[in-house]
């Protein structure tokens, strides 16, 4: 299982990404996009705008090892499998940014 905190430049980009990768559907009659909030493979929570800058945040939980869709890397702000190399050459997990006021502090219940 991998958790992702995704940051999109705007809601429209998030919706287009979701539709093109099967995480959302466009209702042709209304023109509205509806997200698939949960399945046997994933769960997602639309955080939306966090601090009025138009950026659109999504919390995504991959339950089964879904490959990151092409172009998706650019939207990953943080993931639970991110690591950095310490001074001793060991890979250590990058903690989720919880004290940054510019980053939503929303977790799975």
């Amino acid at each position: 299982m991998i958790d992702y905190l995704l940051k999109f430049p705007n809601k429209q980009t998030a919706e287009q990404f979701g539709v093109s990768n099967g995480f959302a559907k466009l209702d042709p009659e209304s023109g509205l996009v509806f997200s698939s909030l949960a399945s046997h493979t994933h769960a997602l929570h639309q955080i939306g705008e966090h601090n009025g800058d138009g950026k659109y945040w999504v919390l995504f939980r991959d339950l089964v090892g879904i490959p990151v869709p092409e172009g998706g890397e650019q939207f990953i702000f943080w993931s639970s499998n991110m690591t950095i190399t310490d001074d001793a050459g060991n890979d250590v997990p990058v903690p989720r940014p919880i004290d940054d006021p510019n980053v939503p502090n929303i977790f799975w219940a």
Side-chain angles (χ1 to χ4, degrees):
M1 178 176 69
I2 303 171
D3 285 339
Y4 294 93
L5 184 58
L6 306 172
K7 181 181 177 184
F8 294 91
N10 53 52
K11 182 178 182 181
Q12 293 76 23
T13 302
E15 289 177 338
Q16 290 171 351
F17 183 80
V19 170
S20 65
N21 290 289
F23 302 116
K25 293 188 185 212
L26 175 64
D27 180 349
E29 291 183 20
S30 69
L32 298 174
V33 174
F34 296 94
S35 296
S36 171
L37 298 179
S39 73
H40 293 290
T41 61
H42 76 278
L44 67 86
H45 173 69
Q46 297 178 47
I47 299 168
E49 285 190 45
H50 172 63
N51 56 6
D53 61 1
K55 307 296 186 215
Y56 198 80
W57 296 81
V58 174
L59 185 58
F60 186 90
R61 176 166 279 172
D62 172 3
L63 301 172
V64 297
I66 301 168
V68 174
E70 185 175 333
E73 298 86 4
Q74 65 184 316
F75 305 121
I76 299 172
F77 184 82
W78 172 87
S79 71
S80 60
N81 66 348
M82 280 183 156
T83 61
I84 57 171
T85 304
D86 66 12
D87 293 337
N90 301 310
D91 287 336
V92 295
V94 174
R96 177 149 177 208
I98 58 173
D99 295 328
D100 184 340
N102 297 313
V103 178
N105 192 6
I106 295 174
F107 291 85
W108 295 104

